[in-house]
Amino acid sequence: MARTLTIRYTSDTHGYLYPTNYADMQDRPMGLMKLAGEYPHDGNTLIIDGGDTIQGSPLTNLYQRLSPEEKAACLSEDTYGTHPIAAMMNLAGYQFVTLGNHDFNYGVDALMDYLTNLDALCLCANIRDREGRLPIAPYAVHRLENGLRIGLVGVCTHFVSRWENPKTVEKLVIEEPIPAAKAALDAVKPLCDVTVLIYHGGFECDLETGEPLTDSAENQACRLCRELDFDLVLTGHQHMRVDGVRFCNSFAVQPTYRAPHCCGITVTVEDDGSKRFESRIIPAEGKPLARAYDLLLPLEKSHIGSVSKAEAPGGPADHIRKHPVSGGQQTEALFFGQEHLPHPMAELGVFPPLRVHIQLGIVEKKVAKKSLSAHILHLRCATLQKQPPNPDGVKNIGFRNPLT
């Protein structure tokens, strides 16, 4: 009798929990709360995330600026953990996650805060901390209610070592993902019926022609599919929608960022061991998960909506000017909104829009997506209506989404 594995997969949610982009007053089809409200929970379903989870939204940026005492008191109760993203993931029922490069932006201690509050098991075979404090495993074998054994491996792009703050990098052991993934696959394959790779990285080749898009080793999903034989490869990092594709030895998917949808995957295993894959994009169109909405609302309201103007003394823009982001901490310091938002965001007060101006040091082009990654040396904020001066002839580059 055929047996089935069902997966709900997100990646690059970047701390977007509520159904808002913080740029307008609309209730939008996005955010982890809306996705989680529709997740199935049964013994044959896995809920998985591909990283870049704890950094990137006004909520996450401001949470990291709180004192330890403020962080401890930021949730109304700690049944689901005291880290807001971990609490959301726990309420949503996530079972496995891997790490993304941006999950290191706030340092090892902040990552420890997230992982120790998280119910899900973090899998990352190629990155670990030198002191062994982070609760990370290279792989896991999970038995479904129907008896299927699922072998799961996690890896992250090793370009963390190029982008991240050197003080953070020196605390980590970072290896290339392909050898690490191979070693983990060799360990789990004899123990399971289906192998799954959770890879925080994208595709370096055109998925139709196989032609290379870049010489960079930042994204290696195509190599992973060619050289290894994982049944399923769950990718991320590029923010590129891939509904489902058979590439060489593996079936692969990728969702975009800020949780506008998740990937729904079904793997059917026949009696003879053959496997059939189906996938679809599931949009965030349901109602927000009520328990998460109510639990996190005090934090969203008090620490994002406590001032009416971003430029007010002590407001977020003022705070950012006094505490510039440096190294690999490519924080998206955007704070948007109006005094009142319609339901379901009516209780939130947020700020006028800001534009980030970043003085770039080293910039390297990502050929596949024509985007930029940068070592940020200085960060300044100004309202969209008024551009800042350009001191000393330094070139200011303004853009709204410095995430990848």
mmCIF file of all heavy atoms in Angstrom, residues 125-128 154-159 161-162 173-183 199 217 220 223-224 227-228:
data_model
loop_
_atom_site.group_PDB
_atom_site.id
_atom_site.type_symbol
_atom_site.label_atom_id
_atom_site.label_comp_id
_atom_site.label_asym_id
_atom_site.label_seq_id
_atom_site.Cartn_x
_atom_site.Cartn_y
_atom_site.Cartn_z
ATOM 1 N N ALA A 125 24.551 20.951 8.830
ATOM 2 C CA ALA A 125 25.707 20.051 8.841
ATOM 3 C C ALA A 125 27.020 20.768 8.586
ATOM 4 O O ALA A 125 28.086 20.186 8.844
ATOM 5 C CB ALA A 125 25.508 18.948 7.788
ATOM 6 N N ASN A 126 26.979 22.010 8.084
ATOM 7 C CA ASN A 126 28.231 22.657 7.688
ATOM 8 C C ASN A 126 28.580 23.893 8.509
ATOM 9 O O ASN A 126 29.608 24.519 8.256
ATOM 10 C CB ASN A 126 28.204 23.019 6.204
ATOM 11 C CG ASN A 126 27.233 24.133 5.878
ATOM 12 O OD1 ASN A 126 26.086 24.140 6.352
ATOM 13 N ND2 ASN A 126 27.671 25.085 5.068
ATOM 14 N N ILE A 127 27.755 24.263 9.479
ATOM 15 C CA ILE A 127 28.083 25.406 10.337
ATOM 16 C C ILE A 127 27.771 25.032 11.781
ATOM 17 O O ILE A 127 26.693 24.524 12.084
ATOM 18 C CB ILE A 127 27.293 26.674 9.948
ATOM 19 C CG1 ILE A 127 27.565 27.056 8.484
ATOM 20 C CG2 ILE A 127 27.668 27.840 10.865
ATOM 21 C CD1 ILE A 127 26.803 28.290 8.018
ATOM 22 N N ARG A 128 28.707 25.317 12.659
ATOM 23 C CA ARG A 128 28.503 25.116 14.086
ATOM 24 C C ARG A 128 29.356 26.134 14.840
ATOM 25 O O ARG A 128 30.289 26.720 14.268
ATOM 26 C CB ARG A 128 28.884 23.695 14.501
ATOM 27 C CG ARG A 128 30.356 23.352 14.276
ATOM 28 C CD ARG A 128 30.658 21.894 14.517
ATOM 29 N NE ARG A 128 32.080 21.572 14.352
ATOM 30 C CZ ARG A 128 32.662 21.317 13.198
ATOM 31 N NH1 ARG A 128 31.942 21.351 12.074
ATOM 32 N NH2 ARG A 128 33.953 21.026 13.139
ATOM 33 N N GLY A 154 20.394 19.428 6.906
ATOM 34 C CA GLY A 154 20.385 20.866 6.672
ATOM 35 C C GLY A 154 21.774 21.381 6.359
ATOM 36 O O GLY A 154 22.759 20.926 6.949
ATOM 37 N N VAL A 155 21.855 22.328 5.418
ATOM 38 C CA VAL A 155 23.111 23.045 5.138
ATOM 39 C C VAL A 155 22.782 24.480 4.749
ATOM 40 O O VAL A 155 21.671 24.785 4.315
ATOM 41 C CB VAL A 155 23.961 22.389 4.020
ATOM 42 C CG1 VAL A 155 24.587 21.087 4.469
ATOM 43 C CG2 VAL A 155 23.145 22.176 2.751
ATOM 44 N N CYS A 156 23.781 25.358 4.908
ATOM 45 C CA CYS A 156 23.628 26.784 4.605
ATOM 46 C C CYS A 156 24.769 27.220 3.699
ATOM 47 O O CYS A 156 25.871 26.660 3.752
ATOM 48 C CB CYS A 156 23.648 27.585 5.903
ATOM 49 S SG CYS A 156 23.571 29.390 5.719
ATOM 50 N N THR A 157 24.524 28.231 2.868
ATOM 51 C CA THR A 157 25.601 28.773 2.042
ATOM 52 C C THR A 157 26.796 29.142 2.922
ATOM 53 O O THR A 157 26.647 29.772 3.979
ATOM 54 C CB THR A 157 25.146 30.014 1.250
ATOM 55 O OG1 THR A 157 26.278 30.578 0.558
ATOM 56 C CG2 THR A 157 24.526 31.072 2.148
ATOM 57 N N HIS A 158 27.973 28.734 2.474
ATOM 58 C CA HIS A 158 29.179 29.013 3.257
ATOM 59 C C HIS A 158 29.668 30.443 3.091
ATOM 60 O O HIS A 158 30.666 30.840 3.708
ATOM 61 C CB HIS A 158 30.291 28.030 2.874
ATOM 62 C CG HIS A 158 30.678 28.058 1.423
ATOM 63 N ND1 HIS A 158 29.793 27.760 0.416
ATOM 64 C CD2 HIS A 158 31.858 28.346 0.811
ATOM 65 C CE1 HIS A 158 30.405 27.850 -0.761
ATOM 66 N NE2 HIS A 158 31.652 28.216 -0.547
ATOM 67 N N PHE A 159 28.957 31.243 2.292
ATOM 68 C CA PHE A 159 29.330 32.645 2.137
ATOM 69 C C PHE A 159 29.037 33.458 3.392
ATOM 70 O O PHE A 159 29.333 34.663 3.434
ATOM 71 C CB PHE A 159 28.634 33.242 0.919
ATOM 72 C CG PHE A 159 29.398 33.031 -0.371
ATOM 73 C CD1 PHE A 159 30.024 31.829 -0.647
ATOM 74 C CD2 PHE A 159 29.481 34.045 -1.309
ATOM 75 C CE1 PHE A 159 30.714 31.633 -1.821
ATOM 76 C CE2 PHE A 159 30.174 33.863 -2.495
ATOM 77 C CZ PHE A 159 30.802 32.653 -2.754
ATOM 78 N N SER A 161 30.792 33.265 5.814
ATOM 79 C CA SER A 161 32.143 33.673 6.226
ATOM 80 C C SER A 161 32.593 34.944 5.513
ATOM 81 O O SER A 161 33.468 35.662 6.020
ATOM 82 C CB SER A 161 33.141 32.541 5.953
ATOM 83 O OG SER A 161 33.195 32.229 4.569
ATOM 84 N N ARG A 162 32.020 35.262 4.362
ATOM 85 C CA ARG A 162 32.378 36.481 3.630
ATOM 86 C C ARG A 162 31.559 37.684 4.087
ATOM 87 O O ARG A 162 32.041 38.805 4.090
ATOM 88 C CB ARG A 162 32.173 36.286 2.125
ATOM 89 C CG ARG A 162 33.011 35.207 1.500
ATOM 90 C CD ARG A 162 32.948 35.304 -0.013
ATOM 91 N NE ARG A 162 33.672 34.246 -0.668
ATOM 92 C CZ ARG A 162 33.961 34.226 -1.967
ATOM 93 N NH1 ARG A 162 33.548 35.219 -2.737
ATOM 94 N NH2 ARG A 162 34.632 33.220 -2.495
ATOM 95 N N VAL A 173 32.585 27.513 13.032
ATOM 96 C CA VAL A 173 33.254 26.625 12.081
ATOM 97 C C VAL A 173 32.337 26.540 10.872
ATOM 98 O O VAL A 173 31.194 26.072 10.983
ATOM 99 C CB VAL A 173 33.491 25.226 12.673
ATOM 100 C CG1 VAL A 173 34.112 24.310 11.622
ATOM 101 C CG2 VAL A 173 34.366 25.307 13.914
ATOM 102 N N ILE A 174 32.803 27.028 9.721
ATOM 103 C CA ILE A 174 31.979 27.103 8.515
ATOM 104 C C ILE A 174 32.646 26.270 7.424
ATOM 105 O O ILE A 174 33.770 26.560 7.001
ATOM 106 C CB ILE A 174 31.807 28.556 8.037
ATOM 107 C CG1 ILE A 174 31.196 29.408 9.155
ATOM 108 C CG2 ILE A 174 30.949 28.610 6.778
ATOM 109 C CD1 ILE A 174 31.153 30.892 8.850
ATOM 110 N N GLU A 175 31.959 25.248 6.971
ATOM 111 C CA GLU A 175 32.482 24.364 5.930
ATOM 112 C C GLU A 175 31.659 24.506 4.664
ATOM 113 O O GLU A 175 30.551 25.052 4.674
ATOM 114 C CB GLU A 175 32.432 22.909 6.432
ATOM 115 C CG GLU A 175 33.223 22.676 7.708
ATOM 116 C CD GLU A 175 32.965 21.309 8.303
ATOM 117 O OE1 GLU A 175 32.004 20.633 7.858
ATOM 118 O OE2 GLU A 175 33.710 20.914 9.217
ATOM 119 N N GLU A 176 32.186 24.021 3.569
ATOM 120 C CA GLU A 176 31.428 24.062 2.318
ATOM 121 C C GLU A 176 30.253 23.098 2.408
ATOM 122 O O GLU A 176 30.358 22.013 2.993
ATOM 123 C CB GLU A 176 32.331 23.719 1.140
ATOM 124 C CG GLU A 176 33.406 24.772 0.894
ATOM 125 C CD GLU A 176 34.005 24.662 -0.491
ATOM 126 O OE1 GLU A 176 33.490 23.867 -1.316
ATOM 127 O OE2 GLU A 176 34.990 25.369 -0.756
ATOM 128 N N PRO A 177 29.111 23.473 1.820
ATOM 129 C CA PRO A 177 27.904 22.665 2.022
ATOM 130 C C PRO A 177 27.899 21.301 1.346
ATOM 131 O O PRO A 177 27.320 20.354 1.889
ATOM 132 C CB PRO A 177 26.785 23.564 1.470
ATOM 133 C CG PRO A 177 27.449 24.543 0.588
ATOM 134 C CD PRO A 177 28.834 24.736 1.122
ATOM 135 N N ILE A 178 28.520 21.173 0.173
ATOM 136 C CA ILE A 178 28.391 19.909 -0.560
ATOM 137 C C ILE A 178 29.083 18.746 0.158
ATOM 138 O O ILE A 178 28.466 17.680 0.350
ATOM 139 C CB ILE A 178 28.878 20.065 -2.013
ATOM 140 C CG1 ILE A 178 27.927 21.008 -2.768
ATOM 141 C CG2 ILE A 178 28.947 18.707 -2.712
ATOM 142 C CD1 ILE A 178 28.293 21.266 -4.201
ATOM 143 N N PRO A 179 30.343 18.883 0.590
ATOM 144 C CA PRO A 179 30.945 17.754 1.346
ATOM 145 C C PRO A 179 30.191 17.444 2.632
ATOM 146 O O PRO A 179 30.031 16.270 2.989
ATOM 147 C CB PRO A 179 32.366 18.251 1.632
ATOM 148 C CG PRO A 179 32.636 19.296 0.604
ATOM 149 C CD PRO A 179 31.315 19.963 0.353
ATOM 150 N N ALA A 180 29.709 18.491 3.311
ATOM 151 C CA ALA A 180 28.969 18.262 4.560
ATOM 152 C C ALA A 180 27.651 17.550 4.285
ATOM 153 O O ALA A 180 27.253 16.644 5.030
ATOM 154 C CB ALA A 180 28.731 19.592 5.265
ATOM 155 N N ALA A 181 26.966 17.970 3.220
ATOM 156 C CA ALA A 181 25.696 17.327 2.865
ATOM 157 C C ALA A 181 25.916 15.872 2.469
ATOM 158 O O ALA A 181 25.109 14.992 2.811
ATOM 159 C CB ALA A 181 25.018 18.097 1.740
ATOM 160 N N LYS A 182 27.006 15.610 1.760
ATOM 161 C CA LYS A 182 27.298 14.225 1.341
ATOM 162 C C LYS A 182 27.558 13.323 2.549
ATOM 163 O O LYS A 182 27.039 12.192 2.613
ATOM 164 C CB LYS A 182 28.499 14.188 0.407
ATOM 165 C CG LYS A 182 28.811 12.778 -0.124
ATOM 166 C CD LYS A 182 30.024 12.769 -1.019
ATOM 167 C CE LYS A 182 30.221 11.385 -1.637
ATOM 168 N NZ LYS A 182 30.300 10.297 -0.626
ATOM 169 N N ALA A 183 28.345 13.822 3.486
ATOM 170 C CA ALA A 183 28.646 13.014 4.671
ATOM 171 C C ALA A 183 27.376 12.712 5.461
ATOM 172 O O ALA A 183 27.172 11.582 5.940
ATOM 173 C CB ALA A 183 29.663 13.744 5.549
ATOM 174 N N TYR A 199 18.240 23.300 2.257
ATOM 175 C CA TYR A 199 19.444 24.041 1.841
ATOM 176 C C TYR A 199 19.143 25.527 1.788
ATOM 177 O O TYR A 199 18.319 25.966 0.977
ATOM 178 C CB TYR A 199 19.907 23.535 0.474
ATOM 179 C CG TYR A 199 21.020 24.348 -0.152
ATOM 180 C CD1 TYR A 199 22.136 24.745 0.581
ATOM 181 C CD2 TYR A 199 20.967 24.709 -1.497
ATOM 182 C CE1 TYR A 199 23.158 25.478 -0.004
ATOM 183 C CE2 TYR A 199 21.979 25.434 -2.099
ATOM 184 C CZ TYR A 199 23.073 25.824 -1.341
ATOM 185 O OH TYR A 199 24.078 26.561 -1.932
ATOM 186 N N ALA A 217 30.182 30.609 -6.011
ATOM 187 C CA ALA A 217 29.768 29.388 -5.303
ATOM 188 C C ALA A 217 28.755 29.681 -4.205
ATOM 189 O O ALA A 217 28.463 28.810 -3.386
ATOM 190 C CB ALA A 217 30.993 28.705 -4.705
ATOM 191 N N GLN A 220 24.485 26.726 -4.738
ATOM 192 C CA GLN A 220 24.993 25.456 -5.257
ATOM 193 C C GLN A 220 23.918 24.379 -5.338
ATOM 194 O O GLN A 220 24.220 23.192 -5.360
ATOM 195 C CB GLN A 220 26.146 24.957 -4.377
ATOM 196 C CG GLN A 220 27.354 25.875 -4.359
ATOM 197 C CD GLN A 220 28.494 25.301 -3.545
ATOM 198 O OE1 GLN A 220 28.289 24.787 -2.442
ATOM 199 N NE2 GLN A 220 29.705 25.375 -4.063
ATOM 200 N N ARG A 223 24.431 21.910 -8.270
ATOM 201 C CA ARG A 223 25.500 20.942 -7.990
ATOM 202 C C ARG A 223 25.032 19.883 -7.003
ATOM 203 O O ARG A 223 25.336 18.688 -7.147
ATOM 204 C CB ARG A 223 26.725 21.655 -7.422
ATOM 205 C CG ARG A 223 27.759 22.088 -8.440
ATOM 206 C CD ARG A 223 29.047 22.479 -7.752
ATOM 207 N NE ARG A 223 29.743 21.329 -7.179
ATOM 208 C CZ ARG A 223 30.776 21.424 -6.326
ATOM 209 N NH1 ARG A 223 31.209 22.603 -5.935
ATOM 210 N NH2 ARG A 223 31.349 20.330 -5.874
ATOM 211 N N LEU A 224 24.307 20.313 -6.002
ATOM 212 C CA LEU A 224 23.796 19.358 -5.020
ATOM 213 C C LEU A 224 22.885 18.330 -5.680
ATOM 214 O O LEU A 224 22.933 17.138 -5.346
ATOM 215 C CB LEU A 224 23.045 20.114 -3.922
ATOM 216 C CG LEU A 224 23.916 20.842 -2.897
ATOM 217 C CD1 LEU A 224 23.113 21.900 -2.145
ATOM 218 C CD2 LEU A 224 24.525 19.837 -1.920
ATOM 219 N N GLU A 227 25.339 16.043 -8.047
ATOM 220 C CA GLU A 227 26.376 15.214 -7.443
ATOM 221 C C GLU A 227 25.863 14.313 -6.328
ATOM 222 O O GLU A 227 26.493 13.299 -6.013
ATOM 223 C CB GLU A 227 27.499 16.116 -6.920
ATOM 224 C CG GLU A 227 28.174 16.909 -8.031
ATOM 225 C CD GLU A 227 29.277 17.822 -7.511
ATOM 226 O OE1 GLU A 227 29.734 17.608 -6.354
ATOM 227 O OE2 GLU A 227 29.687 18.738 -8.246
ATOM 228 N N LEU A 228 24.757 14.707 -5.688
ATOM 229 C CA LEU A 228 24.179 13.893 -4.627
ATOM 230 C C LEU A 228 22.814 13.394 -5.081
ATOM 231 O O LEU A 228 22.336 13.781 -6.144
ATOM 232 C CB LEU A 228 24.071 14.703 -3.331
ATOM 233 C CG LEU A 228 25.372 15.364 -2.855
ATOM 234 C CD1 LEU A 228 25.148 16.120 -1.558
ATOM 235 C CD2 LEU A 228 26.489 14.346 -2.699
#
